[in-house]
Amino acid sequence: TPKDELVIAIMMTTMRGLDPHEINQLEAAEVVANLYDRLIALPPDNIADPQPSLAESWTISEDGKTFTFKIRQGVTFHSGNPVTARDVEWSLHRLVKLGLAPSTDLRQWGFSAKNVDELIRAEDDHTLVLQTPEVWNPNLILYSLASYSTSIVDSVFLATKEKDGDWARNYLQTADAGSGPYSLVTWRSNQLLIADAFKDYWKGMPAMRRVYMGHVPESSAQRLQIDAGDVDIATRLSSTDLAGLERDGKVTVQKVPGFGFYYLALNQKDEILSNPKVREAFRYLIDYDGLANSVMKYYGTKQQTIIPAGLPGASDAMPYKLDIDTAKQLLAEAGYPDGFSKVYFAQPGTPESEVGISLQNNAAKAGIKLDLQIGDQIGKFRARQFELFSSRTGERLPDPHAVLQSYATNANNADDSKLAGLVAWRSAWDVPKDIQDMVIAAAHETDAEKRDALYARINEAYLRASPALVTSFQRTDPKAVRNEVKGYVGHPTWLTRWDTVTKSE
Amino acid sequence: MSIIQTSETSAPRKSALPKAAGKVVTSFVVILTTLLGLMMITFTVGRMVPADPVIAVIGDQADQATYDRVYKEMGLDRPIYVQFAGYLSDVVHLDFGQSIITKQPVSKDLARVFPATIELATLATIIGAGLGIPLGVIAAVRKGTWVDHVARVVGLLGYSTPIFWLGTIVILVFYAYLGAIPPGGRIYLYDEGIVQARTNFILIDSALGGHWDVFRSALHHIIAPAVILGYASMAYLSRMTRSFMLEQMRQEYILTARAKGLGQRPIVWRHAFRNIRVQLLTVIALAYCGLLDGTVLIETVFAWPGLGSYLTSALFFADMNAVLGSVLLIGIISIAINLLSDIVYRFIDPRTR
Amino acid sequence: MAKSGTFSNLHDWLISEEFTSARQARLHSIYLAWLSLLANPLAFAGFAVVFLLVVVAALAPVIAFHDPFTQDFAIALQAPSSVHWFGTDEFGRDVFSRLIYGARTTLYITILVTVIVAPIGFVIGATAGYLGGWVDVVLMRITDIFLSFPSLVLALAFSAALGPGIENAVIAIALTVWPPIARLARAETLTFRHADFVIAAELQGAGTGRILLRHIVPLCAPSIIVRLTLNMSSIILTAAGLGFLGLGAQPPMAEWGAMAASGRQYLLDAWWLTTVPGIAILTVSLAFNLLGDGLRDIMDPRNG
Amino acid sequence: MSMIKAHHLAVSYGHGEAALKVVKDVSFEVQKGETFGLVGESGCGKSTILGALAGRNKQWTGTLEIDGEEIGQKRTRSQLAKQQLVFQDPFGSIHPRHTIGRTLLEPLEIHGKDRRQERIEKVLTDVGLPLNFRYRYPHQLSGGQRQRVAIARALILEPKILLLDEPTSALDVSIQAEILNLLKDLREREQLTYILVSHDLAVVAHLCDRVAIMQSGGFVEVATRQQLLENTVEHPYTRILMDGSRGYVSERRKSDSAALPA
Amino acid sequence: MANTSDTILTVESMSVEFPTLSGVTTAVRDVSFSVGREKIGIIGESGSGKSTTGRAIMRLQPPQAIVEASRMQFEDIDLLTATEEEMRAIRGRRIAMILQDPKYSLNPVMTVGEQISETVILHERATPKEARSRTLAMLERVNIRDPERVFDLYPHEVSGGMGQRIMISMMLIAQPSLIIADEPTSALDVTVRQQVLSILDDLVVERNIGLIFISHDLNLVRSFCDRVIIMYAGRVVETIAAADLDQAQHPYTRGLLNALPSLDNPKDRLEVLRRDPAWLEN
Ligand SMILES: Nc1ncnc2c1ncn2[C@@H]1O[C@H](COP(=O)(O)OP(=O)(O)OP(=O)(O)O)[C@@H](O)[C@H]1O
Ligand SMILES: Nc1ncnc2c1ncn2[C@@H]1O[C@H](COP(=O)(O)OP(=O)(O)OP(=O)(O)O)[C@@H](O)[C@H]1O
Ligand SMILES: [Mg+2]
Ligand SMILES: [Mg+2]
């Protein structure tokens, strides 16, 4: 590839539009990360340390509820319009009011379409005030403002693209209105995306004049192409191919840590599966070591507790290993010495399907017959119409709260409460009250030390509760990068940037 | 002397074209009902697909409020026949809706992906017919000789090879080991954005724009998938040609021609082959439609951005508008090809004029 | 053929046209077909492979000396060796054993589809052809609708809709296979529809059902059998294609298409994972094609 | 007693505008035991008349009476059994994949007759075929043997009338003789009434008592056997047909030597 | 009758065999005859080898057939040793063949004119224009009224009788000296048959050429031909002048004659041919 161009091979099938306030998935987030800027940036190598970006600086009031941001001057959007606090205000309002998937990033702190006009205001062109309805740990708010979902869009320009009060939603699906280091040239779904460096970027024009993202769905094809130098970066490689590439030495493999897990959900509405001994038995049916050395080699790190490694309260305790006999014994104790049959939905694609097939095999040895159906069954999972389900999650806040909220809170376990965003609710798991209370308390806790201690307790309690959500691996997203490419650093919250990339000979 | 059946009796799905204007109307009605049936089946099937279209839009983690809103926005709360009726009335107004994957009007998507497939299928048919028909003729003329046996095995191999597997092996050998072909796609990524899209046929567009390097790149990319598809179609066409030719060579008029003193070549080409042109045309049309099938797999293997892969991913993600639009297009194409072959048929075959 | 006394007696008895019983007449025609199969080496090769497939499927547990489902990550992706003839897959399962068991899946799908499709296709086609009129129009319209889908797309759509699983794949494939059979049955019926022997039966008062079953079936049977045999190859390929796209057989069942597809991930490190099942598919599908092609020569001389 | 009575019989094919009247208003009567011939060129409607009588063509008008019973367009099974058709082409009129036994069994099953094996054996004997022929397939039989099978099939329901549509025109002369003799014998033995279609006047004259000469759907003349043999037919068209059955008449020779021995 | 002695074709002990699954069938066995400038008929039952004989003369037997003879002389050419190329020059040019049913023996997708002129172009290297005028003249010769129109018709657009006349013109246009007509009229009606035969008759007499007329109609052969060859099971059992047919000696011939119903000679029962195995030995 040319020296000033970057070619990235990705699997594009899940890239559905490029509206930062609508998208919900990793590949699109990486694009949005580069088309737009946000108030705050989290450096990939020190993810818990919020840095200024479009916000030059900020202050937090004594009561911890009011955040005042000073907006950087002299920054322009790709259209040439200056970036002002009005744009920030409009963008955040847009996010909340559209109310699509990423709006959770703000709505979970109490923002809603009703109160957002009042709580998020531009004082003047350079000052933005944000008030939270409750006191939260301030980092949670700052992290949220560094998320792709809080990208700042060009409100003046978009006003011309708006149709029928749609907040220019239609337009932004396939175009950009940002101030980021790159501007969108072409996007053809499931084919390619081209972005050009933004000459007037406030940090200076990026070294890579043009970035191509190509849709290369096959792992082996990606491997061949990166090996041949037809692409610089490949992001959908199987563990075997990654291992092969690493062996050959032309390529470095990054294991970008993510804040999510590979999990197995056991539906608690099911009589058998709601038996704690049965739940416990499943923890002994996962071949942690076998997977870790093969399909999961690059896709995850063993983690059996609920707080992701690298976050406050995390533990490296590994009490479980594959142990068919123990599992059998637990099943016998639970009253199922001869096992049982269940339908098991697993997600397609590597490594989720392999994880499923491996579990099926071990379960069979313990007498559990799993009718494995690999396919897109998330709808059934959300609707609680499943028996076993496995997949992976990915949270975008570098804070234990993000994971715990989904895995360890379930305020109302009734079918009609429809807390469908939470995997705990989906599993119909009535999380022990004390765990839930601790999770809420920790989110509100502003004292860092107390908070860390609290998370450590939660972590332990969760492990002991033999949860309906069996976590086995903490997610990592592997990226293969050719050696001559420097400065491409995979970002744990999906905000990998291209403007830092350079190429050597 | 005896009641002899006409040779048409076994001809598949073709009857003489309606002659009167009234019959034109009938055939129009027939086409419309076919299309309607096609859409009805597709629509029903689309609704049965387990993938949840709402989740395809909002993602896994969204909360229920978002889910409910989008569900309504997409009109999924209405009864299925209302949805279908709504869809039909949109289609009548030439509106195929928006794809939830690409966030583009389906018609715009189709205008983009369809030429890619046509380009591939056409080249494959040219390869297939160009090799298959002569091969079939030779096999028929030399029936029972080694030429025939070789042609038979070559042909049957073409029928029997899993096309996705062949594609994989070809990539492994010709790209990975030999470096003779590109790994997939229509042109190199860094050739993208150079050619102005006029027809969306990259070979034509690049030639029109005088971008010969892009043209070469496109040609380089299309060769492997087109040859693989062309092989499958060659296999089919050579087998059919052979059996058509054999049937003709048994006819009395061949004996007449030989009794006149004609040599083998004019007998084969001027007499027998002329009689199978019509049947061949039908078969080529069928093969062409059949290739749309092959493209589903080959496009996946070669990351060819065509209708096949568009349709596959639309199906997997319950992108109903995209699925319906594609199936409708395929249906129209296959009907149109058959209609066209019917019309050409009438020009070639004196018996139907 | 060695001609020992009894054999040549049997041969003579079979070849003789001086029948003394209906059984001899039937055996005679079967024997003649067998002789012409023997005389056609390609068709015989096809027959032999198909026969082998049946034997392998029946004796899978005896032939496969590893368990096809046992996983062991420690020996994953091992190259072919004397222990694992065709190597191991990503779970450390023995590819040879899975291939053997895959024969069962293949045979199961092929036979099931054929058993479903043959009567449906025949009844629809023959009824349309025999009754004609609006029945013909309606039935053929439906057939055409199914035909105007590319068959893989149709199978894909249906198995996506019905959900993965081998039974669903069978249904989906069956949906794509019956229309050509119906077309063929109709065309064949039409050629016999006005044959004198059909009219003779009608004039003796035979009803529609009797004529279709007793008179049309035996006539359409050869070409339909030929077509079904040839179809088996495309059934195998479609099933493999579905397996390739992740539909069809579900784990841990061994299915060649799915094996080839999942092996593609390991193409560069473990070529055998894709190559071996691919060759198996190719071989069996070629065998069905050769057999069908040969049967056409034997049973249906019209098509030469 | 008249076995067949056709009055103003007209038969057509097709519907509406495409309707084609092929037989136009013919009337005739055939007595029990009589053989009535139909002669004419290809396409004049001979088979069509037989079809109407046999119940094959249902688009006819006029009145038809068979065995004293007036017949409608739709017939019952027993009405169908009263007359049976023998076709021209012995290669196309027997099911190629049924054994002869099966072919003969079929009508018995349809009509639910008893003593099936016995009947089959009788009818095979009647038409002069060995009994073990019932295990054979048609392709193992010669043309003449097949035509015997076809006659046996027609006879097995014990009909009163045989409708013979050029039963020998696909056969060699020597075989034709056998079949014609057989038909003659059967007529006497079973008290059958025949309608015989042929384009060969010699054959017709051999077997028939009366002959209708047809041209484009109508009768031009009904001649008796005597008239044919004595060459006293009236219509010139009949005369042409008679010449034809004698062979080729050289124009040159005719002009060379005007007189030709009669 | 003119020049019966002027021999065009001599065939001596010709046999034709077909290898089949159940052994070799001999379709024609040890057949000898000669043809002069005359109309010679071949009659016999179905399968007696009439067509096979006709085709073997033109060397148009199916590829698997084995033809053997001690002599096959056509005018100055030894048909046994002639190369395929030489045969091609003979076929259509010097020996022509008329087949039974014009519906099947004319190419359905070529115009009638094209098919006729093809012969002239092939054998006489005529220009298309010459060929066309020759064709039109020939069509006229076979009593086709509007040759210009007929020239551009397709075979399915002409009647059976016209088709057979076209076939005749196609085969006679290159002026062959021997015509083999394999049941040329059995697909035709009585009245049409008469017309077609008289055209053929005229042409043969006019051009003074030989005609082998294959038929199974005794009356026709008797009245049309000069001499008759009677075949039985691949053998020639008798050769006799047509006029003397009623005095035939061979029991087979006699049997055939007696089996024939006749207007002039009515019989109550027809005689049935009794086949004698001795006929198979010669
Ligand atoms: N099913 C049909 N539909 C339309 N027309 C028909 C049909 N059958 C016969 N005809 C027409 O009816 C006319 C009389 O046909 P028919 O078969 O009765 O003639 P035929 O005298 O038996 O002739 P042949 O000697 O050739 O058997 C012919 O012109 C024929 O074309
Ligand atoms: N291609 C062949 N293969 C095997 N046997 C053949 C072949 N062609 C002809 N025969 C056999 O040769 C014999 C003579 O056939 P031929 O066609 O010459 O008879 P024919 O006298 O012309 O009869 P017809 O009057 O029926 O036309 C028949 O017994 C036939 O079965
Ligand atoms: Mg008739
Ligand atoms: Mg013949």
Side-chain angles (χ1 to χ4, degrees), chain E residues 110-232:
Chain E
M110 282 170 87
T111 62
V112 159
E114 208 180 335
Q115 296 189 53
I116 302 175
S117 23
E118 196 181 37
T119 315
V120 203
I121 294 173
L122 176 74
H123 290 296
E124 298 175 8
R125 311 210 179 281
T127 62
K129 221 170 136 206
E130 286 165 18
R132 186 182 168 92
S133 65
R134 288 271 306 276
T135 303
L136 292 175
M138 193 66 210
L139 284 172
E140 210 158 344
R141 178 62 196 81
V142 295
N143 291 353
I144 283 174
R145 243 167 284 138
D146 188 357
E148 290 278 351
R149 189 182 66 87
V150 173
F151 190 94
D152 291 317
L153 293 182
Y154 285 94
H156 70 280
E157 295 167 317
V158 303
S159 68
M162 199 191 275
Q164 205 54 296
R165 280 183 277 169
I166 288 164
M167 189 81 191
I168 291 172
S169 54
M170 185 163 89
M171 286 307 177
L172 272 90
I173 192 166
Q175 316 229 336
S177 45
L178 178 65
I179 303 171
I180 300 167
D182 192 349
E183 310 205 22
T185 57
S186 58
L188 306 179
D189 269 327
V190 181
T191 43
V192 184
R193 181 176 80 186
Q194 178 71 27
Q195 293 164 10
V196 169
L197 284 177
S198 71
I199 290 166
L200 195 57
D201 192 12
D202 287 352
L203 276 168
V204 168
V205 172
E206 175 188 303
R207 296 193 175 169
N208 193 24
I209 56 181
L211 169 70
I212 297 177
F213 186 89
I214 296 172
S215 174
H216 55 250
D217 187 333
L218 276 165
N219 285 332
L220 197 60
V221 173
R222 187 208 317 251
S223 51
F224 184 74
C225 296
D226 305 318
R227 275 198 310 147
V228 186
I229 295 171
I230 296 119
M231 288 188 73
Y232 175 71

Side-chain angles (χ1 to χ4, degrees), chain D residues 40-43 169 171-178 180-182 184-185 199-203 205-206 225 228-229 237 240-254 262, chain E residues 39 44-47 50 189-194 197-199 201-202 205 216-220 222-226 256-257 259-264 266-273 275:
Chain D
E41 294 200 341
S42 178
S169 64
L171 303 177
D172 282 328
V173 182
S174 54
I175 316 292
Q176 166 173 291
E178 294 175 21
L180 290 179
N181 287 343
L182 172 67
K184 240 181 180 167
D185 295 344
H199 55 253
D200 187 343
L201 265 178
V203 169
H206 178 74
R225 174 153 191 245
L228 289 176
L229 297 178
Y237 182 67
I240 296 179
L241 292 182
M242 288 182 67
D243 285 348
S245 92
R246 290 194 172 94
Y248 171 67
V249 186
S250 164
E251 314 273 333
R252 227 169 335 98
R253 272 180 246 170
K254 252 197 254 175
Chain E
K39 290 172 286 184
E45 291 173 293
S46 183
K50 307 183 294 292
D189 269 327
V190 181
T191 43
V192 184
R193 181 176 80 186
Q194 178 71 27
L197 284 177
S198 71
I199 290 166
D201 192 12
D202 287 352
V205 172
H216 55 250
D217 187 333
L218 276 165
N219 285 332
L220 197 60
R222 187 208 317 251
S223 51
F224 184 74
C225 296
D226 305 318
L256 287 186
L257 286 167
L260 212 57
S262 155
L263 280 175
D264 307 316
K267 287 168 266 197
D268 185 42
R269 276 191 82 76
L270 298 170
E271 240 173 74
V272 172
L273 189 69
R275 286 156 212 271

Side-chain angles (χ1 to χ4, degrees), chain D residues 13 20 22 41-48 166:
Chain D
Y13 290 107
L20 181 69
V22 166
E41 294 200 341
S42 178
C44 69
K46 306 181 295 288
S47 301
T48 307
E166 314 205 28

Side-chain angles (χ1 to χ4, degrees), chain A residues 263 343-348 371-391 426, chain B residues 48-52 55 60 316-317, chain C residues 159-165 168 247 250:
Chain A
Y263 64 89
V343 175
Y344 171 26
F345 294 148
Q347 290 290 98
D371 173 10
L372 177 58
Q373 298 187 5
I374 296 180
D376 183 357
Q377 304 279 9
I378 288 182
K380 294 245 172 68
F381 181 44
R382 278 184 72 103
R384 296 174 146 198
Q385 289 158 0
F386 71 102
E387 291 175 336
L388 281 83
F389 178 88
S390 69
S391 182
R426 292 184 194 171
Chain B
M48 284 158 59
V49 171
D52 187 330
I55 292 174
D60 177 21
F316 279 121
F317 296 102
Chain C
S159 54
L162 297 169
N168 290 339
L247 303 160
Q250 289 299 293

